[in-house]
Amino acid sequence: SDVKPAPTQCVGPDYRSESQKPTAAVSAGVEFDTVTILPQTPQLIALLSIIRNKDTQRGDFIFYSNRIIRLLVEEGLNHLPTIEHTVTTPVGRTYDGLAFQGKICGVSIMRAGEAMEQGLRECCRSVRIGKILIQRDEETSRPKLFYDKLPEDIADRWVLLLDPMLATGGSAIMAVDVLKARGVPEERIFFLNVLASPQGIQNFATKFPKVRLVTAFVDQGLDEKNYIIPGLGDFGDRYYTR
Ligand code: URA
């Protein structure tokens, strides 16, 4: 089938020898250079182990998925443009640094993507946030746009698109189509994602060769209900209910 075995690797800092490092299942690799996978550090693997565990209760699920989301936002922001910027310190010396350049906004794919808004707000003060609601059309069983509310000037912004789960890619692809129809070029869209399937990556990255996708982990595949496997179940249910 489409399910590949999980690669395992020694995890830990380079100064440790292989025998000093534990082994864990790490993200599958991908062949697209538009896809950035977070470094497979002990922290990330341990955080993922908590949120994947079926016995993890809602409070812990929220706390630890928020930590992964924060890592994704920090990484995503590194891909935005900066310009050289020199400042004077209180002791009268200068520091040759950088300044952020360009306006940004977040766009969450409801409902699960809304869980990523807080992590973005923590990193970007007063960031504008739009929303897109896409649901499966009961008649055609294809994704359908039900609602969107986006900043008027979105075409002038860098857009961080938020959805924690990339399964088949249907919703994410429709969301990028909506953004492009509003005048946002692919080069200014960054898709932040916690867990992806290889099929979702393949579909998304092939369709949008200029959109950057930042994910924490590429999993093994999809089951017959299009849940990611091994996955973590229904992200929205675990974050918002129970
Ligand atoms: N959405 C989820 O919440 N979980 C999956 O496994 C796939 C899509």
Side-chain angles (χ1 to χ4, degrees), residues 126-151:
S126 346
V127 65
R128 295 288 309 271
I129 292 185
K131 292 177 192 289
I132 291 180
L133 177 62
I134 293 161
Q135 279 176 346
R136 188 193 294 255
D137 186 313
E138 295 298 341
E139 273 162 33
T140 66
S141 84
R142 296 178 62 81
K144 182 178 169 190
L145 177 67
F146 274 80
Y147 167 84
D148 69 85
K149 186 173 186 337
L150 300 168

Side-chain angles (χ1 to χ4, degrees), residues 36-49 51 62-79 115-116 118-123 160 162 191-194 213-217:
T36 300
I37 304 171
L38 291 186
Q40 302 293 293
T41 60
Q43 283 294 309
L44 178 63
I45 300 292
L47 295 170
L48 283 165
S49 306
I51 67 167
I62 293 171
F63 183 88
Y64 293 103
S65 53
N66 283 347
R67 279 195 56 196
I68 298 173
I69 289 161
R70 180 70 179 249
L71 296 173
L72 287 166
V73 171
E74 296 283 5
E75 175 58 30
L77 293 173
N78 278 330
H79 297 267
M116 301 176 74
Q118 185 197 339
L120 179 59
R121 290 188 201 280
E122 283 168 3
C123 294
L160 297 168
L162 310 173
F191 178 32
L192 307 186
N193 167 253
V194 174
L213 195 169
V214 180
T215 187
F217 202 100

Side-chain angles (χ1 to χ4, degrees), residues 213-235:
L213 195 169
V214 180
T215 187
F217 202 100
V218 182
D219 242 358
Q220 289 168 251
L222 297 172
D223 72 6
E224 58 291 342
K225 289 178 171 168
N226 285 336
Y227 276 87
I228 297 173
I229 52 174
L232 52 75
D234 187 309
F235 189 97

